[in-house]
Amino acid sequence: MLPTAESLAGQPVPQVTFKARVDDQWRDLTTEELFKGKTVVVFSLPGAYTPTCSSTHLPRFNELSSVLRDNGVDDILCLSVNDTFVMNEWKQGQEADGITFVPDGNGDFARGMGMLVDKRSLGFGMRSWRYSMLVRDGVIEKAFIEDADGKEDDPFKVSDADTMLRHINPEARAPEPIVVFSRPGCPFCARAKAALSERGLRYTDISQDQKINSGVLRAITGRMTWPQVFIGGRLIGGADELDAHLSGA
């Protein structure tokens, strides 16, 4: 039986040494190093590369990493019962620079949390149940544990990044997603991306290539000039329109 969120509140996190691979060197990463004197958000999931983890759980925590840090979080840890090579490759593919990936390869942390579950029916072996928690100086303040009612193998309703952000600061505003369609060597594109970076705004750069060409740009935006910037699903326009938008004009 899984622990309840109430039973975990006020409890210390398990004392574990993780076997990590950093810069092609083995490194022991301890619980104390990860948590002592810090405010840390943890989200734990069944496995790297699995659908919900790769498409929703991890990406949203990465999107909200800057606003979580603006609200007092020192680090955001992604834990999974996978070895360090798998976790490192997954991080590269996800471009999740705002997240610290922690390989709980032996399941020691998940076991210590009471969250190690049997997924052998799916060919996974023993894996972590999906949950998130806020930890201050190694002590669990709040946990969000998915309901193990047996109706779903892998529910995903409460351990998401937005729920965590609302718990930390109900008034915090999540940043809108930003996409820049750009062209290599374009000075206006460079100016637009610099304007976003100067304000600490994360964006996805979609650069011109054989598939993203002027015809695609015109089909999506109705315009032929580069760049074209979208914020929150709305077309802002080129560099001048972006400057006006960011300045509130």
Side-chain angles (χ1 to χ4, degrees):
M1 180 178 294
L2 295 172
T4 64
E6 292 74 20
S7 69
L8 290 177
Q11 298 297 314
V13 294
Q15 294 299 305
V16 170
T17 298
F18 303 96
K19 298 296 182 180
R21 190 82 173 168
V22 181
D23 297 327
D24 291 326
Q25 300 291 326
W26 286 106
R27 179 183 171 194
D28 284 350
L29 191 61
T30 66
T31 297
E32 183 175 14
E33 182 178 349
L34 291 171
F35 292 99
K36 187 175 181 180
K38 302 176 185 178
T39 297
V40 179
V41 166
V42 176
F43 65 103
S44 190
L45 36 80
Y49 295 104
T50 53
T52 301
C53 306
S54 294
S55 66
T56 308
H57 206 176
L58 170 61
R60 188 56 174 164
F61 267 104
N62 192 46
E63 286 180 11
L64 296 186
S65 60
S66 60
V67 69
L68 284 167
R69 286 181 167 85
D70 288 343
N71 283 274
V73 174
D74 296 305
D75 203 359
I76 303 160
L77 309 184
C78 173
L79 276 82
S80 182
V81 182
N82 290 108
D83 65 70
T84 185
F85 293 101
V86 170
M87 294 295 277
N88 286 349
E89 285 297 316
W90 191 36
K91 179 176 182 177
Q92 291 296 322
Q94 289 282 326
E95 298 180 352
D97 294 335
I99 307 297
T100 298
F101 284 61
V102 181
D104 188 22
N106 294 325
D108 294 335
F109 193 90
R111 186 179 294 106
M113 288 289 301
M115 297 290 187
L116 195 66
V117 296
D118 190 341
K119 294 276 187 177
R120 284 179 295 179
S121 63
L122 299 175
F124 282 15
M126 303 301 289
R127 294 297 180 102
S128 175
W129 189 248
R130 194 184 297 276
Y131 68 94
S132 67
M133 60 183 178
L134 179 64
V135 181
R136 298 189 191 274
D137 195 21
V139 176
I140 301 167
E141 178 180 293
K142 178 67 176 179
F144 296 95
I145 305 169
E146 298 297 340
D147 186 12
D149 58 9
K151 297 178 182 178
E152 297 181 59
D153 289 330
D154 181 23
F156 179 48
K157 296 181 175 67
V158 299
S159 62
D160 58 287
D162 291 275
T163 297
M164 179 61 71
L165 179 59
R166 286 193 296 270
H167 169 73
I168 293 172
N169 180 4
E171 304 301 320
R173 292 184 59 187
E176 294 184 296
I178 302 174
V179 171
V180 179
F181 287 90
S182 68
R183 186 177 64 191
C186 164
F188 300 103
C189 303
R191 195 179 104 204
K193 289 185 279 189
L196 293 168
S197 296
E198 287 169 3
R199 290 166 173 81
L201 298 173
R202 301 170 65 94
Y203 62 89
T204 299
D205 181 23
I206 300 179
S207 183
Q208 181 188 26
D209 59 18
Q210 291 182 340
K211 293 182 179 180
I212 306 297
N213 53 34
S214 295
V216 172
L217 185 72
R218 185 161 61 88
I220 294 173
T221 69
R223 305 181 185 185
M224 289 284 289
T225 56
W226 304 79
Q228 293 300 324
V229 181
F230 286 82
I231 299 179
R234 293 174 288 114
L235 174 61
I236 303 302
D240 290 339
E241 290 89 348
L242 178 63
D243 284 342
H245 176 81
L246 294 176
S247 64

